[in-house]
Amino acid sequence: MTKVAVVGAGVMGCAAAWALAARGAEVTLYEQFGAEHTRGSSHGRTRIFRLAYPEELWVELAQEALAGWRELELESGRDVLAPHGLVELCSSVDVSSRDVLAARGIEHKLLDRDELRAHRVELPDGWVALWQPDAGVVLADEARHAFLDVAQPNWETQHRVESLDALDAEVVVVTAGPWITELVPDLPVRVTRETVAYFARDGTPVPSVVELDDESRRHAMYALHDPKFGLKAGAHHAGHVADPDVEEPADPVIVARIVEWVRERFPDVDPHPVAADSCLYTSTEDESFVLERRGRLVVGSACSGHGFKFAPAVGRRLADLALG
Ligand SMILES: Cc1cc2nc3c(=O)[nH]c(=O)nc-3n(C[C@H](O)[C@H](O)[C@H](O)COP(=O)(O)OP(=O)(O)OC[C@H]3O[C@@H](n4cnc5c(N)ncnc54)[C@H](O)[C@@H]3O)c2cc1C
């Protein structure tokens, strides 16, 4: 049985532990804080899950992840996906994911303004809305617990790993999120502190909403269902470069920007936020992920603010790298 140490118990470390345990490895998971800490990237109730991306590689990875989430639900007996659907808002259909979804045979359709209003979302003049039903939210805290319930790793919390060489393991998987460069110094990543805000909303959950940037075709503003308050909204890559060891609250300037957007896109929602929070991104320039083997080390990093949805697929790739 291969002894594997996993450093960092955010969603990627938990997913790696799950995939490694399924392949018979003896896994020890190290976490510098407590099991429910809110200092990294994975805490909270929900994250957007979507198949729709304008680039095929992400669509393929999301399809693989969807199958993985379904397997995890069966294995753990927990619900981890809530399928409220996705609305992609774009200034033109050429910016949207339509062509890739069509090429891969994934169900989708364009909505007119009235059809979008039925989802209680407002379409800007001249824009298009693409609906994709196999989407919604991942229940983030539930998902981490589901991975751990199934994997049952040896589990050391409040243990900050200072030296990878000192770990008693044949392979070390490093999933240290925003702290990764303390352990793997040469990674081309930057850490930013991002802000989300919550709004009171009752009734049927909203679909997840992503508004794509014209040039990058990546999401800019986004919103999703929050089981506690009703609506969570944020601005992708709007935050400042941050030191993960310094705790900071939500940025009021970004909250104000989110408020304006929510006021325009969700006319039936009270635009006064009921809560706000901050969270860390670890990003590469092109939002790709670092998944690589270096001798005894496997590095799993840089989920660039959109990684949660892919966790089962990332966990399996890390297990492949670790076990060969
Ligand atoms: C505001 C926000 C919104 C997001 N929205 C979405 C979304 O809608 N959809 C989506 O798919 N993704 C989303 N993401 C991205 C997603 O949440 C992240 O990609 C994912 O959580 C990254 O997980 P991770 O395990 O790599 O990092 P982390 O969750 O940060 O985990 C790293 C862990 O390693 C531990 N650690 C670090 N160093 C050490 C050490 N030396 N010893 C022991 N432990 C250590 C840390 O304490 C931490 O627990 C969002 C992220 C943020 C911040």
Side-chain angles (χ1 to χ4, degrees):
M1 196 183 262
T2 310
K3 277 176 91 167
V4 183
V6 177
V7 180
V11 71
M12 298 309 167
C14 295
W18 167 75
L20 285 160
R23 293 183 51 179
E26 183 189 335
V27 182
T28 303
L29 180 57
Y30 296 91
E31 169 52 51
Q32 64 182 339
F33 302 124
E36 303 305 323
H37 80 88
T38 57
R39 300 277 303 273
S41 307
S42 300
H43 57 282
R45 292 175 288 275
T46 50
R47 294 287 187 283
I48 292 174
F49 177 84
R50 58 183 164 125
L51 296 180
Y53 270 80
E55 300 93 356
E56 185 153 19
L57 86 109
W58 296 118
V59 178
E60 199 176 344
L61 196 65
Q63 286 185 296
E64 189 184 324
L66 178 58
W69 288 122
R70 292 299 182 210
E71 286 170 50
L72 180 67
E73 287 184 320
L74 285 175
E75 291 165 5
S76 67
R78 290 177 187 257
D79 288 334
V80 297
L81 286 180
H84 309 310
L86 173 86
V87 172
E88 194 182 77
L89 298 176
C90 314
S91 65
S92 111
V93 77
D94 297 337
V95 177
S96 79
S97 305
R98 183 192 60 176
D99 291 349
V100 178
L101 296 177
R104 294 189 70 83
I106 296 172
E107 185 182 351
H108 66 283
K109 65 174 177 174
L110 297 179
L111 304 180
D112 65 24
R113 179 168 283 185
D114 287 339
E115 288 170 320
L116 186 61
R117 276 191 187 136
H119 293 289
R120 290 177 306 287
V121 182
E122 193 65 25
L123 190 65
D125 284 339
W127 281 40
V128 296
L130 179 143
W131 167 254
Q132 208 287 307
D134 297 325
V137 294
V138 187
L139 301 170
D141 288 336
E142 281 292 303
R144 280 188 305 106
H145 284 285
F147 283 130
L148 294 176
D149 285 355
V150 178
Q152 295 286 317
N154 307 312
W155 171 219
E156 292 198 21
T157 52
Q158 311 294 347
H159 182 142
R160 182 167 177 135
V161 172
E162 304 289 350
S163 160
L164 299 174
D165 293 339
L167 292 171
D168 173 24
E170 289 153 78
V171 184
V172 178
V173 178
V174 191
T175 47
W179 289 266
I180 191 95
T181 52
E182 289 177 17
L183 297 167
V184 188
D186 60 342
L187 282 188
V189 300
R190 71 180 199 137
V191 176
T192 55
R193 184 166 291 281
E194 307 292 337
T195 288
V196 295
Y198 296 89
F199 300 85
R201 187 186 173 284
D202 296 324
T204 321
V206 275
S208 293
V209 175
V210 293
E211 196 164 294
L212 299 192
D213 177 72
D214 280 354
E215 276 185 26
S216 68
R217 299 176 82 192
R218 303 203 178 106
H219 64 297
M221 305 301 290
Y222 63 89
L224 58 156
H225 176 62
D226 175 67
K228 182 174 177 185
F229 297 118
L231 185 74
K232 172 181 176 181
H236 185 58
H237 278 304
H240 60 268
V241 172
D243 176 345
D245 286 319
V246 177
E247 293 187 72
E248 292 177 80
D251 181 336
V253 174
I254 300 176
V255 171
R257 190 173 146 198
I258 296 168
V259 163
E260 275 319 299
W261 184 74
V262 166
R263 193 192 303 278
E264 289 169 11
R265 298 290 179 274
F266 298 91
D268 69 345
V269 170
D270 179 349
H272 297 97
V274 289
D277 195 7
S278 80
C279 179
L280 295 166
Y281 280 8
T282 308
S283 305
T284 53
E285 194 60 45
D286 63 357
E287 300 197 0
S288 61
F289 301 168
V290 180
L291 307 170
E292 60 191 34
R293 177 127 191 185
R294 301 176 173 197
R296 176 175 167 260
L297 295 189
V298 172
V299 182
S301 174
C303 294
S304 295
H306 69 132
F308 206 110
K309 66 182 71 62
F310 302 112
V314 169
R316 284 180 167 153
R317 276 169 173 60
L318 295 174
D320 287 346
L321 288 167
L323 302 178

